[in-house]
Amino acid sequence: MYAQMVKTASNRVKTREEMSPEEQHFQDKIDNDVKIEPKDWMPEDYRRTLIRQIGQHAHSEVVGQLPEGNWITRAPTLERKAILLAKVQDEAGHGLYLYSAAETLGVSRDELIELLHEGKMKYSSIFNYPTLNWADIGAVGWLVDGAAIINQVALQRTSYGPYSRAMIRICKEESFHARQGYSAIMKMAFGTPEQKKMAQDAVNRLWFPALMMFGPSDKDSVHSEQSMAWKIKVKTNDELRQQFVDQTVPQIDYLGLERPDPTIKWNEERGHYDFAMPDWDEFFNVIKGNGPCNADRMENRRKAWEDGAWVREGLLEHARKKAARKVAAE
Amino acid sequence: MAEVDKDKLYQFLLRMGDNTLILGHRVSEWCGHSPVLEEDIALANTALDLIGQTQMWLGYAGEVQGEGKSADDLAFLRDAWDFRNVLLVELPNGDFGRTMMRQFLYDAWSSIMLGHLQKSTDERIAAIAAKASKEAAYHVERSSGTVVGLGDGTEESHNRMQAALDYLWPYVGEMFASDEIDLAMAAAGIAPDPANLRDEYDALVGRVLDEATLAIPAGNYVHKGGRDGRMHTEHLGHLLCEMQWLQRAYPGCEW
Ligand SMILES: [Fe+2]
Ligand SMILES: [Fe+2]
């Protein structure tokens, strides 16, 4: 899930009696699964919440290029290098669709990027963890894209049309990434003892951060209720997390790796795996900026943006000159 | 196909494949760090095409060599002195302007070269060139657009592009140097003599640089030593350290 702890702009859900006729009409559409489109009337809080959520999602795709990009120049074969390049290219493309979806709500890509760089917007906590060995690249595709898919499949039903359509398009590529990630880590898990060690190390390090991607437990998740009522969110954090664990544990077992959480156990009665929650103190620290890579990631993004200013200005100026010459010639 | 010395053909294929391998590596260093999201996508795409071309060139090189080596063996297990890329592609990226200027100077050569190689008497080479030249045509269109946009942009972008051209120009000539390998390829109708491509190149590059309001520097000194392996730059060794590290540290693994 690339949008965690998105603050809903309002504190509680309004009752029907408290709603204006416009709001009632809006809520009726949502309740009947009619998509909200950019030109439709929408409550200001709905618009602001969506900008936060879609913006955070877009930023995650863009910052997410960094931990994977970290291994492009060290990929061990030409084919692995090509697969990784194609994946990172897809992620940048996802960023692009999502910024476009946010733009339909009246905020520009550049404004959102400025907010990110000023620390006023976030991206997913997962990208503040490092990629330390080659198996991490497989593990990221399998676990991180895998977790993202679970959230994003749910979001295909989200109430805002452009966001929903972006999710449908993105999900197809994410499933491909997850499959490729699993096949990469399979090579490692079934390879030499050193390769197997890398695979185990990657799973051990990335398991709990992957669980954090779904956000805090429902009981501590203060902003969910309004988002659920507006169908900006469709399932709760804990529901999605359970779905991820249930899907992933058998895959870990198949690889012949040790489970990264020794308390994982099938619960016959619930029909689900029991598992340990991640360390939420660590999670809140990462969100606050104290994760292992927060400072580096932001420094890299800011540097890319600042170093690139002359390029963006140069190309704009050229477009202006060209337009002026065209006018002069007419 | 006319009879040709296998080792010379092998060397020719290394020259083609090492150019795309090393340039693809350099371009991929930009991933996630470029000035604008569209460029992240475009640079990744360029790198991807170049790596794909590498698989074809080095795959065929391995077959011609006849020692059972794969494209990966050639990419990851040769030392610097066995690399046959031109120096231009191993130079560090510098700023975005230098990267794009280098890309344009290379793309212009590559699009012309691949055009000729489609008529190669070696069917494999003709087939690789047919596929790669579609990509090269797109690359040169894109990189020339960027060179024009930045050359004829702001004062700062113009100055940076001129500085990039001044730095890179002495490395251009190596793409047109010919030696006995090239002459053997030309005699067998496998590849054109690079020296004969220069007029076409100068016309293309001259037109774009003109539109970009950039001036080709006066000196005519040419840095050489990459495509015959006589003397690479210091930069290649560092690049290989990074690129080959996993294969070297954990030999014989399947990845
Ligand atoms: Fe993505
Ligand atoms: Fe993905």
Side-chain angles (χ1 to χ4, degrees):
Chain A
M1 172 167 196
Y2 290 165
Q4 300 153 315
M5 300 192 61
V6 174
K7 274 198 188 133
T8 311
S10 58
N11 290 327
R12 63 179 186 87
V13 183
K14 278 189 189 172
T15 64
R16 195 155 179 97
E17 290 71 48
E18 290 169 323
M19 289 181 189
S20 67
E22 272 170 324
E23 286 173 308
Q24 284 183 6
H25 177 65
F26 173 82
Q27 192 62 49
D28 288 344
K29 277 211 270 189
I30 295 205
D31 294 343
N32 292 314
D33 287 325
V34 177
K35 295 280 181 245
I36 307 300
E37 295 300 333
K39 289 207 174 74
D40 296 347
W41 183 88
M42 61 185 82
E44 188 51 25
D45 285 350
Y46 174 86
R47 196 182 69 86
R48 289 216 305 264
T49 305
L50 265 175
I51 288 175
R52 269 193 216 120
Q53 177 158 338
I54 301 174
Q56 191 179 119
H57 194 157
H59 297 327
S60 300
E61 300 284 356
V62 172
V63 178
Q65 292 181 94
L66 298 172
E68 295 189 277
N70 181 38
W71 280 90
I72 288 177
T73 56
R74 290 178 291 171
T77 68
L78 295 170
E79 191 180 351
R80 290 284 170 212
K81 196 193 286 274
I83 290 172
L84 185 53
L85 269 166
K87 179 181 192 291
V88 175
Q89 185 188 8
D90 286 347
E91 304 302 0
H94 298 169
L96 215 52
Y97 309 153
L98 286 161
Y99 284 125
S100 305
E103 279 176 344
T104 64
L105 294 160
V107 59
S108 74
R109 193 206 309 183
D110 286 7
E111 285 173 274
L112 290 172
I113 290 173
E114 301 284 348
L115 287 170
L116 173 70
H117 293 176
E118 288 164 13
K120 291 181 185 151
M121 280 186 91
K122 308 254 180 248
Y123 52 91
S124 177
S125 57
I126 189 71
F127 301 118
N128 289 314
Y129 287 87
T131 52
L132 299 179
N133 81 59
W134 171 251
D136 284 26
I137 293 307
V140 165
W142 166 40
L143 299 175
V144 175
D145 290 60
I149 291 164
I150 287 183
N151 180 53
Q152 290 169 17
V153 164
L155 281 176
Q156 292 178 358
R157 293 189 286 120
T158 196
S159 60
Y160 188 56
Y163 192 29
S164 158
R165 289 188 288 274
M167 285 300 106
I168 291 168
R169 208 167 152 187
I170 288 175
C171 273
K172 289 195 190 112
E173 290 178 0
E174 300 294 15
S175 325
F176 190 58
H177 297 166
R179 276 202 302 278
Q180 283 176 326
Y182 194 65
S183 96
I185 203 157
M186 228 154 83
K187 278 273 184 210
M188 304 295 284
F190 297 136
T192 65
E194 288 95 340
Q195 284 176 301
K196 187 165 182 176
K197 189 175 164 188
M198 291 181 212
Q200 185 70 58
D201 175 54
V203 171
N204 290 350
R205 262 183 299 105
L206 289 166
W207 173 255
F208 286 110
L211 294 188
M212 291 175 191
M213 290 173 68
F214 299 95
S217 289
D218 296 345
K219 59 178 169 39
D220 304 316
S221 192
V222 281
H223 305 292
S224 284
E225 216 181 316
Q226 178 66 73
S227 285
M228 299 282 286
W230 279 336
K231 296 188 186 166
I232 290 175
K233 249 180 120 135
V234 180
K235 284 186 178 180
T236 72
N237 295 352
D238 284 334
E239 282 171 340
L240 294 166
R241 188 167 15 246
Q242 182 72 57
Q243 196 183 329
F244 174 74
V245 171
D246 290 347
Q247 151 187 324
T248 309
V249 170
Q251 296 174 328
I252 299 173
D253 294 347
Y254 177 79
L255 293 174
L257 297 178
E258 272 172 41
R259 294 173 177 179
D261 161 11
T263 72
I264 291 173
K265 205 169 150 249
W266 179 252
N267 183 325
E268 198 62 59
E269 213 173 297
R270 291 203 306 125
H272 293 291
Y273 284 98
D274 292 337
F275 61 95
M277 280 290 171
D279 176 350
W280 292 118
D281 279 348
E282 177 181 314
F283 170 73
F284 287 112
N285 255 309
V286 175
I287 292 281
K288 265 186 242 150
N290 297 324
C293 302
N294 294 61
D296 288 350
R297 299 280 189 251
M298 284 314 297
E299 190 175 287
N300 269 303
R301 286 309 310 162
R302 272 192 219 107
K303 186 175 185 317
W305 189 246
E306 283 158 18
D307 288 356
W310 71 270
V311 176
R312 296 190 300 276
E313 284 156 18
L315 294 175
L316 263 178
E317 179 59 21
H318 177 70
R320 254 182 244 124
K321 283 185 189 175
K322 226 171 130 176
R325 280 196 290 259
K326 210 178 153 206
V327 170
E330 273 162 10
Chain B
M1 189 178 100
E3 265 309 293
V4 69
D5 181 277
K6 286 278 173 225
D7 188 55
K8 289 199 171 83
L9 178 58
Y10 170 66
Q11 292 293 323
F12 168 76
L13 293 167
L14 288 184
R15 288 173 178 184
M16 296 303 294
D18 288 345
N19 278 346
T20 52
L21 173 63
I22 302 300
L23 185 59
H25 181 101
R26 281 296 187 216
V27 174
S28 78
E29 291 173 5
W30 274 100
C31 251
H33 303 276
S34 85
V36 61
L37 204 43
E38 283 82 351
E39 285 301 332
D40 275 327
I41 295 172
L43 289 165
N45 190 53
T46 302
L48 193 55
D49 287 343
L50 291 169
I51 297 304
Q53 293 175 18
T54 306
Q55 286 174 298
M56 297 191 283
W57 290 124
L58 293 186
Y60 187 28
E63 288 173 42
V64 169
Q65 187 195 29
E67 293 177 14
K69 288 194 178 138
S70 66
D72 282 338
D73 292 334
L74 293 176
F76 295 96
L77 299 174
R78 276 177 302 151
D79 204 343
W81 53 34
D82 288 328
F83 274 77
R84 294 293 178 266
N85 56 282
V86 291
L87 301 181
L88 177 73
V89 298
E90 70 193 47
L91 298 174
N93 287 334
D95 68 1
F96 183 78
R98 191 185 282 179
T99 296
M100 291 313 293
M101 180 60 80
R102 177 184 59 198
Q103 191 65 38
F104 167 63
L105 295 171
Y106 173 83
D107 289 341
W109 171 82
S110 157
S111 64
I112 293 167
M113 182 69 171
L114 291 169
H116 287 271
L117 288 179
Q118 290 185 65
K119 293 166 276 178
S120 174
T121 54
D122 183 317
E123 281 170 20
R124 286 285 296 280
I125 290 177
I128 295 172
K131 184 170 186 298
S133 64
K134 291 193 193 86
E135 295 166 350
Y138 176 68
H139 294 170
V140 74
E141 189 186 312
R142 214 176 176 284
S143 57
S144 59
T146 308
V147 165
V148 170
L150 293 175
D152 182 30
T154 58
E155 193 185 339
E156 179 178 10
S157 74
H158 173 86
N159 292 343
R160 282 180 184 256
M161 294 313 278
Q162 185 63 56
L165 181 60
D166 293 348
Y167 176 80
L168 294 169
W169 191 253
Y171 294 92
V172 165
E174 189 183 11
M175 293 188 284
F176 304 96
S178 23
D179 58 14
E180 76 281 6
I181 292 169
D182 301 297
L183 296 179
M185 293 303 113
I190 292 174
D193 179 351
N196 293 338
L197 305 180
R198 188 72 206 235
D199 288 348
E200 214 178 323
Y201 183 85
D202 284 342
L204 170 58
V205 168
R207 182 176 55 71
V208 171
L209 293 179
D210 208 44
E211 205 187 327
T213 69
L214 297 171
I216 291 176
N220 56 6
Y221 188 78
V222 176
H223 291 294
K224 286 187 243 181
R227 71 195 295 276
D228 56 14
R230 186 182 53 81
M231 195 162 75
H232 281 278
T233 66
E234 287 180 344
H235 308 295
L236 182 62
H238 293 280
L239 185 155
L240 296 182
C241 274
E242 200 171 328
M243 187 175 85
Q244 298 182 336
W245 167 67
L246 271 175
Q247 287 264 4
R248 300 282 193 180
Y250 302 97
C253 291
E254 266 191 58
W255 302 95

